[in-house]
Amino acid sequence: MSVLADHQPAAPFVDAKAAAAAAVEAARDEILDLSHRIHATPEPAFEEVQAATWVAETIRAHGFEVEHPAGRLATAVRGRLAGGLGTDGPRIGILAEYDALPGLGHGCGHNTMAASGVGAAIALAAVRDLFAGEIVFLGTPAEERGSGKQYMLEDGLFDGLDAALLYHPCDRNHVDIAPLASEDVSVVFHGLQSHAASEPWEGRNALDAMIALFSSVGLWRQQLPPHCRVHGIIQEGGTAANIIPDRTRAWFMIRSADQAYYEVMKERFRRLCEAAAIAADVQVEVEFSGFASTMKTSRVIANRWVANAAAYGIEDQGPDGTSGSTDMANVSWAVPAIHPDLAITDVPTPGHSIEFRDAAARPRADETVLLAATLVAQTALDLFLDPALVERAWREFRGDAGA
Ligand SMILES: [Zn+2]
Ligand SMILES: [Zn+2]
């Protein structure tokens, strides 16, 4: 017997939640097939053509009115379905990610997020006669790079939502996360080519500037607080050893757990780039993109998640000691949101690794996909069936007293 059928959901609304769990179980093959197909067809940020199409087709088949593309992003999806008791009720966002990592595949396990988000949407569609309001499914591309959700926020695709729910795979179970403010930085140095032996003095070396930048970033790290990160790769380092490089390009990321300190880092990084350019007598272009903020978790909704998870034997293990970044954090400043982690493996396994990628398509992960779909749907039901809870979430969000 599966874990879903084996446990009684958390109160309140036990019958509705049990019906949602049964709907996930009934759609088990469809949900897991989607997870496996996306895992086997990894597509990086903004290129999730196949995944977005599969996701859109699946929710359309379950009655959702689907926009694909949605907003400016070709691989964004929005599906909407009214509650059976009318649209005058909460509008709950059920999110799904599906981008992979270049060269690694689904090393972050986003296939499990796509499938569980779709699974939650299927479950809520199956029990929609029980509530008023609107289920809003959002397929959100480009989490690993580029902050797709930020574009979707700007395109109005989150407008009118009362909550946004998104699970992420992990090697632990916890509802609280503390993602770092983060941004991608493209750094391009422009120099002047010349023969590296016969007349090097005629050149201006763009690689020297890049090496100076990496050196100064390395020295800077000693002065950075522990919650800060700066890391990068060289994407273009010249074309031949006997040519003074006239162009080099790097991709950095800078991050901080402190939103205000992040702004300080950003300015300092820009000055390090300019200093490196001066040192090598070259020009520099610095371009920041894909901003992700720190997270504002909705305690009101997180508490419901923890209770719903506990009913299935999931004990919250507390937040991770260290963190990456996510554009879900940007959403959390627009609408009450949670981004809980559930384990897809029982052994410590770092994200963004081959081991995590392989774990994301195993039977252990499959069970987590179904559990995540169930818990997202049940937490959405807590909100649909209790508008006072939605109001409390908004009061907390606004910082009102007594929330
Ligand atoms: Zn990731
Ligand atoms: Zn991820």
Side-chain angles (χ1 to χ4, degrees):
M1 188 176 278
S2 80
V3 68
L4 298 180
D6 207 20
H7 289 72
Q8 175 94 337
F13 317 123
V14 173
D15 291 347
K17 289 176 182 175
V24 169
E25 190 63 58
R28 177 187 185 96
D29 291 348
E30 187 177 15
I31 294 167
L32 296 183
D33 179 59
L34 180 65
S35 180
H36 297 160
R37 272 189 287 160
I38 293 174
H39 190 269
T41 316
E43 300 166 300
F46 301 110
E47 299 172 27
E48 313 93 330
V49 176
Q50 192 63 74
T53 300
W54 286 332
V55 161
E57 283 172 354
T58 309
I59 61 164
R60 188 179 282 123
H62 284 269
F64 283 77
E65 185 183 314
V66 174
E67 299 159 72
H68 175 221
R72 82 188 78 173
L73 299 180
T75 53
V77 177
R78 178 163 70 170
R80 285 181 287 182
L81 183 61
L85 303 181
T87 54
D88 188 16
R91 301 180 74 208
I92 308 301
I94 306 299
L95 275 59
E97 291 175 6
Y98 30 70
D99 60 330
L101 289 155
L104 182 57
H106 276 291
C108 210
H110 291 184
N111 60 297
T112 70
M113 302 171 81
S116 62
V118 167
I122 289 173
L124 290 169
V127 300
R128 72 190 183 95
D129 284 348
L130 299 176
F131 57 82
E134 190 173 45
I135 314 159
V136 182
F137 174 88
L138 290 161
T140 63
E143 188 277 338
E144 294 292 357
R145 177 182 70 80
S147 290
K149 292 182 196 64
Q150 182 60 39
Y151 291 114
M152 294 178 72
L153 283 162
E154 292 166 11
D155 288 343
L157 294 166
F158 287 82
D159 289 0
L161 287 191
D162 287 304
L165 313 177
L166 176 62
Y167 130 92
H168 196 286
C170 189
D171 58 357
R172 301 168 67 249
N173 299 303
H174 56 98
V175 72
D176 278 310
I177 63 164
L180 308 174
S182 166
E183 213 158 350
D184 294 289
V185 200
S186 166
V187 182
V188 180
F189 290 107
H190 298 279
L192 187 66
Q193 287 183 332
S194 68
H195 196 295
S198 65
E199 45 199 1
W201 47 83
E202 295 295 335
R204 285 183 282 122
N205 195 325
L207 183 59
D208 284 358
M210 188 61 79
I211 290 167
L213 176 59
F214 271 83
S215 298
S216 56
V217 164
L219 295 169
W220 182 33
R221 284 197 181 99
Q222 190 194 12
Q223 270 68 52
L224 282 172
H227 61 76
C228 297
R229 295 287 184 276
V230 51
H231 43 96
I233 59 168
I234 297 177
Q235 296 170 296
E236 295 175 40
T239 54
N242 58 359
I243 305 170
I244 298 292
D246 68 334
R247 175 185 163 92
T248 53
R249 179 167 65 102
W251 172 14
F252 278 91
M253 298 185 77
I254 60 174
R255 316 197 202 212
S256 171
D258 180 325
Q259 192 75 57
Y261 197 86
Y262 173 79
E263 301 301 330
V264 174
M265 280 185 82
K266 186 172 172 175
E267 193 46 41
R268 178 70 182 273
F269 183 82
R270 190 188 293 279
R271 281 159 50 210
L272 293 183
C273 295
E274 290 164 358
I278 290 168
D281 192 22
V282 299
Q283 305 297 312
V284 66
E285 290 172 60
V286 184
E287 194 181 335
F288 292 85
S289 66
F291 176 69
S293 65
T294 54
M295 175 101 186
K296 172 177 172 169
T297 295
S298 168
R299 291 257 50 87
V300 169
I301 303 175
N303 289 343
R304 296 313 311 152
W305 173 274
V306 170
N308 288 324
Y312 291 91
I314 302 293
E315 185 188 341
D316 197 285
Q317 297 170 291
D320 291 327
T322 58
S323 185
S325 306
T326 173
D327 58 2
M328 186 61 183
N330 302 27
V331 174
S332 77
W333 295 94
V335 54
I338 58 168
H339 194 24
D341 278 5
L342 287 176
I344 60 166
T345 165
D346 295 313
V347 293
T349 309
H352 291 200
S353 67
I354 289 171
E355 291 75 18
F356 200 82
R357 177 194 70 194
D358 293 349
R362 292 203 185 106
R364 172 69 175 85
D366 290 349
E367 292 308 314
T368 299
V369 168
L370 301 175
L371 179 65
T374 302
L375 295 179
V376 167
Q378 292 179 343
T379 304
L381 284 172
D382 277 325
L383 295 159
F384 277 124
L385 295 170
D386 183 7
L389 185 70
V390 175
E391 188 46 44
R392 270 178 54 211
W394 275 112
R395 283 208 306 274
E396 178 203 17
F397 182 88
R398 291 190 298 257
D400 295 357

